[in-house]
């Protein structure tokens, strides 16, 4: 205890002298302002560097942990049935069909099947015709000039991106004045 | 060693199948490993072929867009175009408000949901692309918006959940 007191004494000599002599009041103040400049910055540097290093390491560990977890896909609300539809036990009881009604339905189903088949056949024919005519045109072009044929075979960069709105049931009303309003996006944001 | 190497089973003898016990244990299903969501390599395509192309169908009507996506998928199968993936994008919900005629308050009109389905194809030849486009357009239903574009990394990233903590840490580190 005595040794440390002496070492303390030697380095902090001016301070010891000041504390003992109370009549050095004015110089006391001056020295007090000068002393912190000498002593404290050393302490700040050491503690700060260590703290910063520890903080950096903690951040790196956190980053590693977060990066390890694989990214997840956003769940699609369309495929999740809301609970209210699976909780209730109510069962629909359908009325019995008369034979005429069931006959009518079967005939309608068959007519629909035939209609769809014809539609599908027409589509296949259309594709076939398009491909054939395209091939014939390319053949003729090749006979005409090789350069143009090569240019036609290449892919069209201007094709994509391609956008098209679906057809509408009715044309737009002429002179329609829509009311003022706004759209708010209330999609649920998922975070990992 | 000779005993272990012998594979004769003596099926007529009563000792046939002696030592078998696995058929008595309950069937162990193979461990379902969680498939890591990794981005597959994007094909850039050659001069005569388009690489990965996304056919995106958007609509407010869920059943319609679902059926149209199925139709497009089946069409591609029939025309032997390779379909990489057929997935759904997350649904967007919008609240539509309109201003009353006599008043300054906004009134809630409806809550609309926008659904989007994507069919990703690869190896579409340059000569066949306009034909496919024509066929899809001719069978496009009402209210379904069609968009065909090249597949990019951003398209894949828009499907993933956002990670604000990771981004914050990365911003702090750099």
């Amino acid at each position: 205890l005595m040794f440390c007191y002496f070492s303390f004494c030697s380095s902090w000599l001016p301070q010891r002298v000041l504390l003992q002599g109370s009549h050095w009041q004015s110089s006391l103040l001056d020295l007090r302002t000068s002393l912190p400049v000498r002593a404290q910055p050393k302490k700040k540097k050491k503690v700060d560097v260590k703290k910063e290093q520890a903080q950096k390491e903690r951040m790196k560990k956190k980053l590693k942990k977060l990066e390890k977890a694989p990214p997840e896909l956003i769940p699609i609300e369309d495929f999740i049935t809301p609970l209210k539809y699976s909780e209730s036990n109510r069962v629909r009881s359908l009325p019995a069909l008369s034979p005429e009604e069931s006959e009518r339905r079967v005939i309608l189903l068959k007519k629909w099947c035939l209609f769809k088949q014809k539609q599908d056949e027409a589509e296949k024919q259309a594709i076939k015709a398009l491909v054939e005519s395209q091939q014939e045109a390319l053949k003729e072009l090749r006979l005409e000039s090789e350069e143009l044929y090569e240019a036609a075979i290449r892919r069209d960069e201007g094709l994509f991106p391609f956008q098209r709105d679906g057809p509408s049931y009715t044309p737009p009303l002429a002179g329609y004045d829509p009311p003022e309003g706004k759209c708010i996006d209330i999609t649920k944001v998922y975070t990992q | 060693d000779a005993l272990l190497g012998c594979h004769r089973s003596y099926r007529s003898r009563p000792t046939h199948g002696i030592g078998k016990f696995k058929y008595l244990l309950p069937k162990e299903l193979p461990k379902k490993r969680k498939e890591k969501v990794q981005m597959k390599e994007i094909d850039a395509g050659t001069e005569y072929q388009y690489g990965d192309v996304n056919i995106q169908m958007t609509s407010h009507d869920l059943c319609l867009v679902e059926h149209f996506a199925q139709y497009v998928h089946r069409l591609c199968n029939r025309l032997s175009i390779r379909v990489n993936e057929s997935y759904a994008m997350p649904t967007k919900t919008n609240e539509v408000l309109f201003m009353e005629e006599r008043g300054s308050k906004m009134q809630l009109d409806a809550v609309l949901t926008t659904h989007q389905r994507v069919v990703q194809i690869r190896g579409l030849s340059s000569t066949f692309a306009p034909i496919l486009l024509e066929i899809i357009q001719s069978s496009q239903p009402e209210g379904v918006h069609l968009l065909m574009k090249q597949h990019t990394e951003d398209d894949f990233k828009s499907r993933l959940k956002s990670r604000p903590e990771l981004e914050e840490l990365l911003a702090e580190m750099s």
Side-chain angles (χ1 to χ4, degrees):
Chain A
L1 231 146
M2 281 300 284
F3 281 103
C4 70
Y5 187 77
F6 274 118
S7 62
F8 193 80
C9 219
S10 58
S11 56
W12 295 72
L13 205 58
Q15 203 188 28
R16 286 272 304 117
V17 168
L18 282 160
L19 282 166
Q20 274 190 343
S22 57
H23 54 274
W24 272 297
Q25 286 239 343
S26 53
S27 50
L28 217 154
L29 286 162
D30 295 328
L31 276 155
R32 249 193 213 162
T33 49
S34 64
L35 267 168
V37 174
R38 233 180 60 188
Q40 287 219 302
K42 270 189 189 170
K43 252 193 192 172
K44 249 190 189 172
K45 265 190 195 170
K46 271 187 195 169
V47 171
D48 267 6
V49 162
K50 269 194 178 175
K51 262 191 182 175
E52 266 185 52
Q53 272 183 343
Q55 217 184 14
K56 268 192 177 175
E57 269 180 50
R58 262 181 280 152
M59 268 169 68
K60 275 187 187 170
K61 271 191 178 175
K62 230 182 173 183
L63 197 79
K64 259 190 182 177
K65 230 187 174 181
L66 283 172
E67 277 192 336
K68 248 191 178 179
E72 285 170 33
L73 287 172
I74 301 175
I76 293 155
E77 290 153 15
D78 297 344
F79 304 147
I80 309 165
T81 42
L83 284 167
K84 66 174 185 178
Y85 297 127
S86 50
E87 269 175 7
S88 63
N89 292 326
R90 60 170 216 185
V91 176
R92 196 190 284 192
S93 59
L94 295 162
L97 291 169
S98 64
E100 292 93 15
E101 183 61 34
S102 53
E103 258 309 305
R104 195 185 74 91
R105 284 191 189 186
V106 163
I107 290 168
L108 191 67
L109 198 73
K110 284 190 183 274
K111 279 188 186 165
W112 177 251
C113 282
L114 193 72
F115 168 76
K116 270 298 192 185
Q117 187 193 35
K118 290 239 167 80
Q119 205 183 46
D120 199 39
E121 274 301 307
E123 195 185 63
K124 283 185 184 157
Q125 283 289 92
I127 295 176
K128 212 171 163 185
L130 279 167
V131 167
E132 267 177 25
S133 55
Q134 197 187 46
Q135 290 299 321
E136 222 183 277
L138 281 169
K139 234 193 266 179
E140 290 296 313
L141 187 65
R142 198 165 201 181
L143 289 168
E144 276 289 321
S145 80
E146 199 67 37
E147 274 179 22
L148 286 172
Y149 174 76
E150 285 294 311
I153 287 282
R154 272 170 200 281
R155 75 185 213 185
D156 186 11
E157 299 298 333
L159 190 60
F160 300 122
F162 173 80
Q163 271 200 70
R164 188 188 175 234
D165 273 326
S168 49
Y169 284 106
T170 52
L173 291 167
Y176 174 64
D177 184 29
E180 274 179 38
K182 64 178 179 186
C183 249
I184 312 172
D185 193 8
I186 51 166
T187 331
K188 190 175 169 187
V189 176
Y190 291 91
T191 50
Q192 192 175 4
Chain B
D1 199 43
L3 288 163
L4 288 165
C6 177
H7 295 293
R8 292 176 68 184
S9 49
Y10 292 97
R11 275 174 282 185
S12 53
R13 298 295 165 97
T15 53
H16 174 66
I18 201 163
K20 278 191 188 174
F21 65 92
K22 210 165 180 187
Y23 67 99
L24 293 168
L25 294 169
K27 273 208 171 146
E28 221 181 72
L29 293 156
K31 246 188 182 177
K32 194 182 168 187
R33 269 194 190 165
K34 223 181 180 182
E35 273 177 36
K36 273 195 175 177
V37 178
Q38 253 183 346
M39 196 185 80
K40 293 176 193 167
E41 275 178 40
I42 301 172
D43 187 19
T46 62
E47 280 175 357
Y48 306 104
Q49 265 190 359
Y50 295 92
D52 282 335
V53 173
N54 273 4
I55 308 174
Q56 293 175 341
M57 295 149 276
T58 326
S59 173
H60 292 294
D61 190 355
L62 174 67
C63 301
L64 202 59
V65 77
E66 190 70 58
H67 286 302
F68 188 50
Q70 282 179 18
Y71 164 77
V72 167
H73 198 312
R74 283 193 188 173
L75 187 75
C76 292
N77 280 353
R78 210 196 320 155
L79 299 167
S80 51
I81 300 170
R82 188 189 138 161
V83 174
N84 280 351
E85 276 183 298
S86 172
Y87 53 85
M89 293 290 276
T91 29
K92 296 187 189 153
T93 327
N94 278 319
E95 246 183 30
V96 180
L97 305 148
F98 72 94
M99 188 88 86
E100 280 182 65
E101 280 173 42
R102 281 165 285 134
S104 57
K105 222 174 51 168
M106 287 282 203
Q107 203 191 52
L108 180 71
D109 193 23
V111 178
L112 288 173
T113 49
T114 315
H115 309 268
Q116 193 176 56
R117 298 281 180 273
V118 179
V119 175
Q120 205 183 92
I121 51 177
R122 186 185 281 202
L124 184 67
S125 72
S126 50
T127 48
F128 195 70
I131 297 174
L132 182 73
L133 219 66
E134 192 65 43
I135 295 293
I136 294 175
Q137 273 182 76
S138 66
S139 54
Q140 195 177 353
E142 294 86 2
V144 173
H145 178 88
L146 179 74
L147 168 67
M148 275 178 91
K149 60 190 272 283
Q150 307 267 33
H151 184 59
T152 54
E153 209 178 303
D154 293 327
D155 290 324
F156 178 76
K157 284 201 174 148
S158 64
R159 283 174 80 190
L160 301 170
K161 283 188 193 168
S162 66
R163 297 161 118 181
E165 302 149 346
L166 190 73
E167 282 167 32
E168 260 180 43
L169 272 174
L170 281 166
E172 268 186 69
M173 290 285 278
S174 59

